[in-house]
Amino acid sequence: MKPIDVSAESDLARTRRARKMFRALQEQFPHAHCELDFTTPLELLVATILSAQTTDVGVNKVTPTLFARYPDAAAYAGADREELEELLRPTGFFRAKAKSVMTLGQALVERFDGQVPPRLEDLVTLPGVGRKTAFVVLGDAFGQPGLTVDTHFGRVVRRAGWTDLEDPVKVEHAIGEMFPRKEWTQLSHTLIFEGRRICHAKRPACGVCPIARWCPSYGAGETDPDKARKLLKFELAPGATRPEGVPEPVAVL
């Protein structure tokens, strides 16, 4: 199989191909979801900030103790710096992250009565919160559709030939025009799953990718199905197994 040529593709054709690829990825990852554990908007906001430069699995190991010790914004605002740093040490960059969540708590207490605001315009004014983090919280804690353009999302849409833009905000707007707003949050989860598990940065597993037949970057990674299957990665805790009902990646025929 050869990669498809999309050099002369119209905007309409690109949108149709993108939606077809999304449907195929939904079949591959019907369970795609936010992989950070949380029960409240504040917990998700803090967990998302902590996820920088580490894995969701690593964050999830720390947050049960963290959330129990600091149940609200006021607790973060008044935290003992050294104690908080020690709790966050396993996530890396723990000093900077401790400062971030403490100043976040202070801002929430001073400006929003200790509550996480459910509006993009307010969220991005908080310390350490950009559009990516804001859309995670809006989509998964408040049910408001948004596109989370992280490194995985950006890599997949560029390799798939949906856009050649690099700036996250420009990517957000370009991809947002191709899909109904109600699909944005699930689109984000699904593409991030694809990027984490199959379409890796250094060596994508092209031979078991469910959207390979529509991808102009097919061949950038391993195309042999057996060899590609060995490259698959799943962000699961050690010893965890594939969730029930989740299919094995489909080999390209």
Side-chain angles (χ1 to χ4, degrees):
M1 186 175 72
K2 297 181 179 180
I4 65 169
D5 181 4
V6 298
S7 59
E9 189 175 47
S10 68
D11 290 344
L12 178 59
R14 182 178 298 109
T15 295
R16 287 175 173 171
R17 180 171 61 85
R19 292 181 179 182
K20 186 182 298 183
M21 295 171 85
F22 177 41
R23 289 196 296 272
L25 287 174
Q26 285 183 298
E27 292 179 2
Q28 179 68 53
F29 301 116
H31 61 302
H33 62 283
C34 176
E35 296 183 272
L36 291 168
D37 295 337
F38 71 97
T39 60
T40 68
L42 177 61
E43 289 183 356
L44 179 57
L45 180 55
V46 170
T48 305
I49 291 173
L50 298 182
S51 68
Q53 305 300 315
T54 191
T55 66
D56 288 356
V57 168
V59 173
N60 290 339
K61 292 178 180 178
V62 168
T63 49
T65 301
L66 181 73
F67 294 160
R69 177 67 182 82
Y70 305 99
D72 52 37
Y76 286 111
D80 177 272
R81 180 72 169 267
E82 292 186 359
E83 178 184 4
L84 182 57
E85 286 180 354
E86 193 58 33
L87 278 174
L88 300 183
R89 183 182 292 272
T91 69
F93 302 96
F94 59 93
R95 291 188 179 89
K97 291 179 180 180
K99 180 179 179 181
S100 291
V101 297
M102 288 178 69
T103 56
L104 171 68
Q106 292 165 4
L108 289 173
V109 170
E110 294 171 0
R111 293 162 46 202
F112 298 104
D113 197 29
Q115 301 301 308
V116 176
R119 298 198 321 151
L120 175 66
E121 296 82 356
D122 293 328
L123 283 169
V124 295
T125 68
L126 293 169
V129 180
R131 292 178 70 87
K132 180 182 73 174
T133 297
F135 280 130
V136 170
V137 175
L138 289 173
D140 290 290
F142 293 111
Q144 299 180 28
L147 289 175
T148 304
V149 183
D150 69 353
T151 55
H152 302 292
F153 186 106
R155 179 174 66 255
V156 172
V157 297
R158 283 187 287 273
R159 280 184 176 164
W162 296 4
T163 182
D164 58 3
L165 297 170
E166 295 283 345
D167 180 79
V169 177
K170 292 181 179 179
V171 170
E172 174 196 320
H173 292 309
I175 303 304
E177 291 178 355
M178 301 169 72
F179 293 88
R181 187 172 183 272
K182 64 182 180 180
E183 295 182 347
W184 287 356
T185 299
Q186 194 57 39
L187 175 65
S188 298
H189 291 322
T190 302
L191 293 185
I192 291 170
F193 261 56
E194 164 73 2
R196 282 177 171 169
R197 290 155 170 78
I198 297 178
C199 194
H200 313 140
K202 294 184 178 180
R203 196 179 178 191
C206 295
V208 289
C209 180
I211 58 175
R213 71 190 69 183
W214 303 292
C215 184
S217 298
Y218 174 76
E222 180 57 65
T223 58
D224 179 85
D226 293 330
K227 294 179 180 179
R229 191 169 288 108
K230 295 178 181 179
L231 300 175
L232 297 179
K233 297 179 180 179
F234 298 88
E235 192 164 329
L236 299 171
T241 58
R242 187 188 308 276
E244 183 178 355
V246 177
E248 290 280 352
V250 180
V252 178
L253 300 178

